[in-house]
Amino acid sequence: QVQLVESGGGLVQAGGSLRLSCEASGGTFSIKSMAWYRQGPGIQRELVAAIDSGGSTNYGDSVKGRFTISRDNAKNTMYLQMNSLKPEDTAVYYCKGILTILSRNYQYWGQGTQVTVSS
């Protein structure tokens, strides 16, 4: 069964860095696009960054210039390098993938990983 598994969250001081990973596994598929979302306390889930199969990226306004999304197609893994972290970046970070299986596209979500930035 296809699943997305995030890793790399944790506690960091303001100004620090973290790198999140999201690996897709469990079947035969190709990855159409992947994205990171986050949901802070009492806040709607928001897009952090996205990357498509061609490598084109887009970012939420609040993270531009600080976060970098990338992917390793050979490993079916997406990364989010987060630099200059701020307390307002504290949230559960979710990985979303659009995977193509037998010519049909399916959406999958990871279980989330907690990122906490202390001031």
Side-chain angles (χ1 to χ4, degrees):
Q1 182 169 344
V2 175
Q3 60 178 350
L4 302 182
V5 179
E6 301 105 332
S7 61
L11 173 64
V12 64
Q13 287 188 329
S17 299
L18 281 175
R19 188 193 196 207
L20 305 183
S21 299
C22 172
E23 181 181 6
S25 64
T28 302
F29 53 83
S30 61
I31 298 176
K32 186 175 177 64
S33 66
M34 297 186 83
W36 289 99
Y37 285 75
R38 68 185 182 187
Q39 187 165 17
I43 301 173
Q44 256 188 322
R45 191 173 294 190
E46 63 174 350
L47 174 70
V48 176
I51 185 167
D52 67 17
S53 57
S56 296
T57 60
N58 68 282
Y59 295 89
D61 288 341
S62 62
V63 306
K64 284 179 181 176
R66 301 188 297 122
F67 291 9
T68 302
I69 190 171
S70 61
R71 58 191 281 181
D72 184 334
N73 292 330
K75 295 181 179 180
N76 290 327
T77 300
M78 172 181 65
Y79 305 97
L80 184 68
Q81 178 66 43
M82 305 185 293
N83 298 328
S84 302
L85 283 160
K86 305 175 181 180
E88 51 263 44
D89 293 317
T90 295
V92 178
Y93 284 70
Y94 296 92
C95 165
K96 187 185 86 171
I98 306 296
L99 277 55
T100 303
I101 302 171
L102 297 176
S103 301
R104 296 187 67 178
N105 294 328
Y106 299 86
Q107 178 176 286
Y108 294 89
W109 287 91
Q111 81 286 355
T113 185
Q114 177 71 46
V115 171
T116 303
V117 184
S118 63
S119 57

